[in-house]
Amino acid sequence: MQIEYKNIDAKLVVNEIRNGRSLESVQKLFGIKFKSEVQDLYLKGLMELGEIPQLEFNKREAVKPQNPMADRSAVRRREKPVPSASTLIKTPNFRTIGQSGSITLNKALLIEQLGFGVGDSFEIYREDDRVILRKTVHSN
């Protein structure tokens, strides 16, 4: 590791943790600012003791591509299909009849996915094992 923590011996941190001290108490004992620094020292100490393989933890700066569209070539976005009169919309969850006998169809499903609007009226009927909602013209 490239980071030095106030010349703290990482092996001492390992010994303290093995003796049952918590990360917080080791942090206070050595005057370390962050718990992540204690964890880094612990890993460094285990590497120095030969108990885990040597690893390099160098911070790398993000490299931006010259052409901003170059990294998007592998990403394909599908446009949302516009529902037609006979479009079958599958939702990720099922609707069940609640204890009061109602089925909840939320705004996201009715308005955003199926394209209905606030105030639309429907007639409801059953066809085999399906429940059909048919939009009607409602006059008051």
Side-chain angles (χ1 to χ4, degrees), residues 116 119-125 133-139:
F116 295 114
D120 287 349
S121 297
F122 301 92
E123 64 180 12
I124 302 168
Y125 62 96
L133 295 176
R134 179 175 286 162
K135 186 175 175 181
T136 60
V137 177
H138 187 297
S139 59

Side-chain angles (χ1 to χ4, degrees), residues 10-11 14 40-51:
K11 294 177 205 168
V14 171
D40 288 347
L41 282 166
Y42 181 66
L43 283 175
K44 184 177 177 184
L46 290 174
M47 286 186 271
E48 288 176 6
L49 292 169
E51 296 186 21

Side-chain angles (χ1 to χ4, degrees), residues 5 14 19 22 28 32 44 47 53 55 57-58 60 69 71 75-76 81 96 102 110 115 137:
Y5 296 104
V14 171
N19 289 335
S22 66
K28 288 178 185 174
I32 299 172
K44 184 177 177 184
M47 286 186 271
L55 302 172
F57 294 100
N58 295 332
R60 289 186 248 159
M69 298 304 284
D71 62 339
V75 177
R76 293 186 181 171
T96 57
S102 62
L110 290 173
V137 177

Side-chain angles (χ1 to χ4, degrees), residues 75-93:
V75 177
R76 293 186 181 171
R77 300 182 195 277
R78 286 191 281 159
E79 291 185 25
K80 291 183 180 179
V82 176
S84 67
S86 62
T87 300
L88 175 65
I89 303 264
K90 294 255 183 191
T91 59
N93 53 0

Side-chain angles (χ1 to χ4, degrees), residues 1 3-8 32 36-37 40-41 44:
M1 286 187 187
I3 303 167
E4 291 295 323
Y5 296 104
K6 303 177 191 174
N7 298 323
I8 299 171
I32 299 172
S36 60
E37 293 176 338
D40 288 347
L41 282 166
K44 184 177 177 184

Side-chain angles (χ1 to χ4, degrees), residues 12-26 42:
L12 290 175
V13 173
V14 171
N15 287 335
E16 292 298 327
I17 291 174
R18 284 190 176 154
N19 289 335
R21 284 192 184 262
S22 66
L23 290 177
E24 291 85 4
S25 63
V26 172
Y42 181 66

Side-chain angles (χ1 to χ4, degrees), residues 93-105:
N93 53 0
F94 294 96
R95 308 292 194 240
T96 57
I97 298 175
Q99 202 148 16
S100 65
S102 62
I103 298 175
T104 303
L105 302 174

